[in-house]
Amino acid sequence: ETIQDAAGMSSSIDYTSEWPWHLYTPYGTTTFNYNEGPNQVAGGWYRWADITEPNGGHQIYGFTSESALLFNGTPWIPSPFPASLVPGNLPAGTMLETNTVNRLNSFHWDQHQAPNIGYNFGDFMTLTTNDMQKARLRHWLNYSEGMYPDFALSLEIAPSQDSDGSTLGQVTWFDYAGKPQGQNGEPGTQIQPSLIARKLPDGSTSYQSFTRNSFGLPTGVTTTYGTDNPALTRTYTLAYDP
């Protein structure tokens, strides 16, 4: 398949088993390798892609449907998620998904992170907790009895700020309007978040909460600035021309 951009430069893609294999561009060739199958320990399934870019750099993407990788039987992400990392003082009706965070997770190591993890393609049990904390993790809400991800994020963990991956990155939580009662891990009726929240190092919570119209556009926004002090909370409304 050939692609031509607005400047008239052409690139092409070839495929293996319906997946991109090579991307040929004027800047060089990008190669894609894949591995997928049953989870090696926990059941469920996984899918991984190792991307080699023209400059020789690597990026690695991964997804697991069940436990977020286990090392000698111990999950990297505990479930339920540690209460010390869960925001508090949130709006009434908030339904953060904290009990199955070790499932339905995707990972990404970029060109800076991928060369510095103990990784053999197809053998993910070589990864350590520090290796995992170097990745950006995204945990997804589920549908179809929990086996497949929805298109809405439940939480995101940023890559560790330490080069050795010794500490967990910033955790950001998301919530959505219209979740079924008591089903915190299921999607809501609106794909745009009703809440974005973070637990800060001083133990306080910073968040934005939203009301939205049927198009997903915000009609009201409340923002706190991290000290759980009402004096540092701002609320405003938005209206749109018909």
Side-chain angles (χ1 to χ4, degrees):
E1 181 176 343
T2 300
I3 304 166
Q4 189 173 67
D5 65 19
M9 300 171 65
S10 294
S11 301
S12 63
I13 305 174
D14 59 22
Y15 295 84
T16 177
S17 301
E18 300 181 352
W19 293 96
W21 188 17
H22 296 102
L23 170 63
Y24 304 99
T25 75
Y27 311 103
T29 300
T30 298
T31 302
F32 303 84
N33 287 298
Y34 305 95
N35 191 300
E36 62 181 343
N39 189 297
Q40 293 153 298
V41 175
W45 54 279
Y46 68 88
R47 178 174 293 154
W48 296 79
D50 190 337
I51 303 169
T52 304
E53 300 187 4
N55 63 0
H58 282 263
Q59 295 194 59
I60 302 169
Y61 289 86
F63 176 83
T64 59
S65 69
E66 291 298 325
S67 183
L69 298 188
L70 290 93
F71 308 100
N72 299 317
T74 301
W76 169 59
I77 298 179
S79 184
F81 205 73
S84 61
L85 298 177
V86 179
N89 298 320
L90 297 174
T94 296
M95 297 173 62
L96 297 183
E97 201 285 278
T98 61
N99 289 324
T100 57
V101 178
N102 60 328
R103 303 170 60 240
L104 299 177
N105 290 308
S106 60
F107 308 87
H108 174 229
W109 294 264
D110 66 18
Q111 280 202 18
H112 300 288
Q113 300 147 356
N116 298 310
I117 62 175
Y119 164 77
N120 296 314
F121 190 68
D123 181 12
F124 308 107
M125 297 302 292
T126 59
L127 293 168
T128 66
T129 296
N130 286 26
D131 290 333
M132 298 303 297
Q133 291 184 166
K134 294 175 185 177
R136 180 204 65 202
L137 176 144
R138 286 177 171 170
H139 171 61
W140 303 88
L141 296 175
N142 71 74
Y143 70 94
S144 185
E145 299 179 353
M147 284 297 294
Y148 301 99
D150 186 66
F151 297 106
L153 276 177
S154 180
L155 71 81
E156 178 175 285
I157 304 178
S160 173
Q161 295 185 12
D162 299 313
S163 60
D164 62 357
S166 57
T167 58
L168 195 68
Q170 174 70 62
V171 183
T172 303
W173 298 82
F174 302 84
D175 199 20
Y176 301 85
K179 286 182 177 179
Q181 186 62 37
Q183 301 298 318
N184 295 26
E186 293 191 10
T189 54
Q190 171 61 253
I191 196 170
Q192 296 292 341
S194 61
L195 180 80
I196 302 172
R198 299 174 179 88
K199 188 74 171 281
L200 300 182
D202 66 0
S204 63
T205 291
S206 173
Y207 72 79
Q208 281 189 301
S209 64
F210 304 86
T211 56
R212 299 181 183 275
N213 63 21
S214 59
F215 299 103
L217 298 172
T219 56
V221 182
T222 297
T223 302
T224 71
Y225 293 94
T227 62
D228 299 327
N229 183 338
L232 295 177
T233 296
R234 300 290 183 268
T235 299
Y236 57 94
T237 60
L238 300 95
Y240 304 92
D241 288 334

